[in-house]
Amino acid sequence: MSDTRKLWTLLGVLLVVSFSVLIWSGTRIYEAAPPMPERVVAADGTTIYSRAEIEKGRQVWQSMGGMQLGSIWGHGGYVAPDWSADWLHREALAVLDGWSQAEDGVPYTELNAERQAALTGRLRRVMRSNTYDPETATITLPDERAAAIREVSSHYESLFGDDPATAELRENYAMKNGTVPDAEHRRVLSAFFWWTAWAATTERPNDTITYTNNWPHEPLVGNKPPASTFLWSAFSVTFLLAGIGLLGWHYAVTHDREEARVPLPEFDPMRHVKATPSMLATAKYFWVLLALFLVQILFGAMTAHYQVEGQLVYGYEMAEILPYSITRTWHTQLAVLWIAVAWLGTGLYIGPAVSGHEPRFQRLGVNFLWVCLLIIVVGSFAGQWFAVMQTLGLENNFWFGHQGWEYADMGRFWQWFLFIGLMLWLVLVGRALWPTLTQKSEMRSIIGLLFLSTVAIGLFFAAALMWNEHTHISMVEYWRWWLVHLWVEGFFEVFATAVIAFLFTRLGLLQAKTATVAVLFATIIFMAGGVLGTLHHLYFAGSPTPVLALGASFSALEVVPLAYIGFEAYHTYRLGGATPWMQRYRWPVMFFIAVAFWNLVGAGLFGFLINPPLSLYYMQGLNLTPLHGHTALFGVYGMLGIGLVLFCLRGMKPELAWHEGILKTSFWCLNIGLALMALLTLLPLGTMQLFASLEHGYAYARSAEFMQQPFVDLLVWMRVPGDTIFSIGALALVVFVAGLWLFPKREDEVPVRAEKDSRAGARAGDGGARRGRAKEADEKGRAG
């Protein structure tokens, strides 16, 4: 059996086993999820909340922006508090104050340490006890908790309305006045918050840990990391070291093997490839991409300013028109959309470029899909705005408004529309690739992997359709991370790897067989940890301990290939200088090198910083989470999308000269701006919050008391230099692309310029070695 067939077999077995375990994990989450009671009653039998009220409260929470305004179980926004932790802390204090006032005549905070310890010991017994009766589906609470619930509920009913008593707190949380104008909706919203807090502090039957594995850290009720988080964090580090060792051994064994020499083309093989009408039609995708990118940056700046200006943006009253929850919704959603459009456009461009075949009505299909994408963006964003402004109505919100789940915010109608659009994209790319897929050639495996990743991208968006309006929140989280982790971080990665390998092979820099083995091996290594690594997002979402163990073990393996990412970067750099004419592709290659760097830093270092269970227990929902999110999402997938777009533009307009200075400005500003954003704000702020969470509890680390400190404001303002430089990079990219259409200039190079480029290509090719170009090309062929 050939190496390629062995790798295909190994990949198939790996995916079958991994997804079987992932689906089994879903069944365990379903069985162990915290129960939804039919009634919550006080000791005297008085009904506190009904199931209908809790579920309606969740609908209200989703309609106002859900995870985009504060968070639940650690997932969501970072300015407002985590409502589960906030309710838990407030209820605990209310119970303690009730006891201390009744028994000692003073508030709890004025008691001596010994008396406080006695009351907190009693509190832990009361709040951690599981009084859920599965036969009647009823939770019975003691009278002191019922009184505390009424007190905390009145606070939330004031906060989410326009009560002047909580105006300052609303401003601190960047909430608009009248976030939930209906009084009954505010009351049932409190019911949902209470249930999420109840799950976080109530022990599972016959166990000593809560439904959320003792998350969040709350000293008052005895929430601290369970032993399993220590155990599996230690094992995750062990798995990481073992994986790095095995991959290092593999590299040591294989890197010196003699490879067949690649006769490098004298001229760019793709320069004279004629773009078909459908390939040219993809240009409008890239224009939309750039518009979405700029708008995303704008909403990101507005969202950051809300953090320090409350209800103002640059001094202007914006909260009543574009509240924080909507600017953050659009900022996060646009990040995924513009990167996805980059890859969708690349797929539509690459299909006919691979096969040289233009299917009938292909251009019409490309144009029709583009119109559909515009309708989806405008329609879903409009629905979200009406929902957040509370004018759409709860009965319409799920389908046409705001679902409230971070990265999966658009209404179900728009999700179905997008899924159908992805099926159309799959058909368009597949029919263009089909002639090549049915022919036996060395390129067949790479193209096959490219096609299969296209199929997976189309089909796996269906994970967003697997929950309905009243599906248990633990199961919504399970399927949501299928979408976010597997769709964005999984199969788009495979698609991009296959596209890049194809491009270098088509340029004559790599042998098809060598590239095929490399791509299959990389896919196997990534998927070995990537599929089950999905579970690391679910440690504290109502999942049982086996799910935590699997997530910890396999998320560590996700980092293994990133430890050797420098080899990939160096290999890409060598290919970029293999021949003088590769200078034409210098900046796409530079963006691919940036992908390797941010893969190591953003996905690798910052990712593993938060991934072990013990780390994430304290860090989930703190600013160390967006540190990983920003550097991985834009640093890896954004840079990758820009690099692919530039490759397509080079093929679309091969005769035009590129303004190297503008691209250089864009490249370095984007990278430097992202680095400053991470190092000047997210890393130090997240570290401060981590110390606060360790010392005082999670609720304090997310509280207005902590987040409104002058030094925190200073750290947020320190984003301005990085954001400004980053914005300059984005504008430079737009100017460059616009110049290709508005101010085209043909490549009429003079001989001096050609010789200069030739020497530059030679220097880049062998790292400065003084050899003849013929010998250098030979060396580069061996390296390829």
Side-chain angles (χ1 to χ4, degrees):
M1 184 183 291
S2 68
D3 289 342
T4 301
R5 290 188 63 188
K6 289 178 181 178
L7 289 172
W8 273 112
T9 301
L10 180 58
L11 177 60
V13 171
L14 173 68
L15 291 177
V16 169
V17 173
S18 296
F19 277 102
S20 297
V21 175
L22 186 61
I23 291 171
W24 173 83
S25 300
T27 64
R28 294 290 292 117
I29 293 172
Y30 177 80
E31 293 168 356
M36 180 65 69
E38 292 297 328
R39 295 173 66 232
V40 180
V41 300
D44 61 3
T46 304
T47 298
I48 302 172
Y49 294 127
S50 67
R51 177 170 185 159
E53 289 173 326
I54 296 172
E55 291 189 341
K56 187 176 181 180
R58 190 179 107 177
Q59 289 179 282
V60 175
W61 169 73
Q62 290 178 256
S63 71
M64 74 180 193
M67 289 179 176
Q68 303 296 353
L69 185 64
S71 56
I72 292 291
W73 292 348
H75 294 293
Y78 309 103
V79 177
D82 180 272
W83 304 114
S84 309
D86 189 65
W87 181 291
L88 173 57
H89 185 73
R90 290 178 182 276
E91 183 182 341
L93 285 177
V95 172
L96 291 170
D97 270 336
W99 285 337
S100 64
Q101 292 282 8
E103 299 172 15
D104 300 277
V106 296
Y108 168 79
T109 55
E110 295 181 10
L111 296 175
N112 59 45
E114 183 179 358
R115 181 61 176 150
Q116 285 186 343
L119 290 183
T120 54
R122 189 198 308 178
L123 176 75
R124 291 168 188 175
R125 291 192 298 272
V126 169
M127 293 198 68
R128 297 182 69 87
S129 297
N130 193 334
T131 58
Y132 174 74
D133 183 350
E135 293 186 2
T136 62
T138 300
I139 296 173
T140 304
L141 300 177
D143 291 335
E144 55 264 45
R145 287 197 68 181
I149 287 172
R150 288 191 294 271
E151 180 180 331
V152 180
S153 179
S154 66
H155 164 76
Y156 281 104
E157 291 174 47
S158 168
L159 177 66
F160 285 89
D162 54 9
D163 186 351
T166 48
E168 182 179 355
L169 201 54
R170 275 195 297 277
E171 184 176 352
N172 292 337
Y173 292 163
M175 296 171 57
K176 77 182 187 74
N177 294 320
T179 298
V180 180
D182 186 277
E184 175 61 16
H185 285 181
R186 293 198 296 273
R187 189 185 70 81
V188 296
L189 174 64
S190 296
F192 173 65
F193 288 162
W194 171 83
W195 178 82
T196 65
W198 175 85
T201 193
T202 301
E203 293 178 354
R204 294 179 180 275
N206 304 314
D207 207 338
T208 58
I209 61 173
T210 70
Y211 287 103
T212 58
N213 288 318
N214 284 359
W215 189 93
H217 178 222
E218 178 50 73
L220 290 177
V221 298
N223 267 12
K224 59 184 180 179
S228 57
T229 60
F230 290 88
L231 174 67
W232 290 108
S233 294
F235 273 108
S236 72
V237 176
T238 304
F239 293 146
L240 171 63
L241 295 176
I244 291 175
L246 287 172
L247 196 59
W249 172 81
H250 176 270
Y251 176 77
V253 169
T254 61
H255 86 287
D256 281 334
R257 290 179 180 174
E258 188 72 19
E259 294 181 356
R261 301 186 181 189
V262 179
L264 299 179
E266 186 176 354
F267 303 102
D268 180 0
M270 296 187 70
R271 181 166 186 169
H272 301 294
V273 172
K274 183 176 176 57
T276 67
S278 70
M279 292 166 66
L280 294 174
T282 60
K284 60 175 68 70
Y285 285 77
F286 305 138
W287 279 101
V288 168
L289 174 160
L290 294 172
L292 296 179
F293 185 24
L294 291 180
V295 175
Q296 189 229 346
I297 293 172
L298 173 64
F299 284 124
M302 293 179 65
T303 302
H305 274 275
Y306 273 131
Q307 186 167 352
V308 290
E309 295 187 82
Q311 297 168 330
L312 305 176
V313 176
Y314 297 101
Y316 292 96
E317 292 278 357
M318 294 293 293
E320 302 304 315
I321 304 172
L322 290 174
Y324 173 90
S325 58
I326 203 67
T327 62
R328 190 177 188 274
T329 297
W330 291 348
H331 175 66
T332 55
Q333 193 165 304
L334 283 167
V336 175
L337 282 174
W338 79 257
I339 293 172
V341 170
W343 294 347
L344 297 181
T346 298
L348 294 171
Y349 179 87
I350 289 294
V354 169
S355 63
H357 171 63
E358 175 83 348
R360 192 179 182 189
F361 301 124
Q362 183 79 354
R363 182 181 180 184
L364 176 62
V366 170
N367 290 335
F368 178 74
L369 180 60
W370 179 77
V371 172
C372 290
L373 286 174
L374 291 183
I375 294 173
I376 290 169
V377 171
V378 174
S380 64
F381 279 30
Q384 288 162 353
W385 185 84
F386 282 113
V388 169
M389 301 306 287
Q390 298 290 290
T391 59
L392 193 62
L394 295 185
E395 64 279 4
N396 300 315
N397 179 67
F398 178 76
W399 277 91
F400 300 101
H402 200 307
Q403 283 205 42
W405 308 112
E406 191 176 27
Y407 298 111
D409 304 280
M410 63 176 60
R412 178 52 52 85
F413 172 82
W414 303 108
Q415 287 178 332
W416 270 109
F417 198 163
L418 181 55
F419 178 67
I420 294 170
L422 288 170
M423 292 298 98
L424 174 59
W425 176 72
L426 169 59
V427 170
L428 292 172
V429 176
R431 69 201 294 257
L433 290 173
W434 192 252
T436 309
L437 286 170
T438 55
Q439 296 174 359
K440 291 186 177 181
S441 68
E442 291 186 336
M443 295 284 290
R444 188 177 181 183
S445 286
I446 290 182
I447 296 170
L449 192 61
L450 177 63
F451 176 70
L452 289 177
S453 62
T454 304
V455 172
I457 289 170
L459 294 180
F460 269 79
F461 185 77
L465 309 174
M466 298 301 292
W467 67 81
N468 61 40
E469 193 168 9
H470 298 293
T471 300
H472 195 287
I473 186 173
S474 295
M475 293 308 299
V476 174
E477 284 291 88
Y478 171 75
W479 289 114
R480 185 173 75 91
W481 287 110
W482 271 59
L483 173 69
V484 179
H485 185 92
L486 284 175
W487 192 63
V488 177
E489 300 180 36
F491 292 106
F492 267 125
E493 179 90 7
V494 177
F495 173 77
T497 303
V499 168
I500 292 172
F502 162 76
L503 291 173
F504 280 129
T505 305
R506 192 64 180 267
L507 289 170
L509 306 180
L510 289 175
Q511 274 195 327
K513 182 178 179 180
T514 302
T516 299
V517 171
V519 170
L520 283 172
F521 183 75
T523 302
I524 289 169
I525 293 297
F526 181 79
M527 288 298 180
V531 175
L532 292 178
T534 305
L535 298 174
H536 81 258
H537 299 283
L538 302 172
Y539 293 152
F540 313 116
S543 305
T545 300
V547 172
L548 182 146
L550 285 169
S553 303
F554 285 91
S555 66
L557 295 181
E558 287 185 278
V559 186
V560 169
L562 304 181
Y564 288 87
I565 207 73
F567 299 136
E568 177 188 334
Y570 180 63
H571 181 61
T572 303
Y573 170 75
R574 286 169 66 96
L575 292 177
T579 67
W581 53 260
M582 272 300 292
Q583 285 293 105
R584 290 166 46 81
Y585 298 95
R586 179 187 177 192
W587 290 108
V589 169
M590 287 295 290
F591 275 99
F592 295 154
I593 293 173
V595 169
F597 171 80
W598 289 111
N599 239 330
L600 173 62
V601 175
L605 298 180
F606 294 152
F608 192 71
L609 173 68
I610 66 173
N611 276 359
L614 185 58
S615 300
L616 196 60
Y617 179 86
Y618 291 105
M619 298 182 192
Q620 180 163 284
L622 306 184
N623 273 272
L624 291 172
T625 306
L627 172 69
H628 163 61
H630 280 76
T631 52
L633 184 59
F634 180 79
V636 178
Y637 301 105
M639 295 289 185
L640 187 56
I642 293 173
L644 293 175
V645 168
L646 292 177
F647 247 113
C648 294
L649 292 177
R650 175 54 85 186
M652 198 176 294
K653 292 184 174 290
E655 77 287 353
L656 297 186
W658 280 15
H659 197 304
E660 301 284 323
I662 296 179
L663 270 182
K664 181 178 181 180
T665 299
S666 175
F667 175 82
W668 288 111
C669 283
L670 289 173
N671 281 278
I672 293 172
L674 181 60
L676 291 177
M677 183 192 313
L679 298 178
L680 297 183
T681 298
L682 298 176
L683 180 58
L685 178 52
T687 304
M688 285 180 59
Q689 285 184 293
L690 174 59
F691 275 108
S693 176
L694 287 166
E695 187 171 357
H696 301 291
Y698 186 84
Y700 174 72
R702 291 286 303 272
S703 68
E705 180 184 358
F706 178 86
M707 294 299 291
Q708 296 304 313
Q709 296 178 87
F711 189 67
V712 172
D713 277 356
L714 175 63
L715 288 177
V716 177
W717 279 111
M718 288 295 290
R719 282 191 59 161
V720 172
D723 287 356
T724 302
I725 294 172
F726 187 89
S727 300
I728 292 171
L731 288 171
L733 181 64
V734 173
V735 170
F736 166 77
V737 176
L740 295 179
W741 271 266
L742 301 179
F743 308 103
K745 182 180 179 182
R746 295 183 61 85
E747 286 184 329
D748 296 323
E749 297 178 328
V750 296
V752 175
R753 169 71 179 276
E755 180 62 24
K756 180 180 178 181
D757 284 350
S758 179
R759 289 198 303 270
R763 286 195 299 272
D766 66 359
R770 302 297 189 249
R771 299 187 180 98
R773 286 200 298 272
K775 184 176 180 180
E776 181 202 24
D778 180 66
E779 288 294 321
K780 292 307 146 189
R782 296 180 61 189

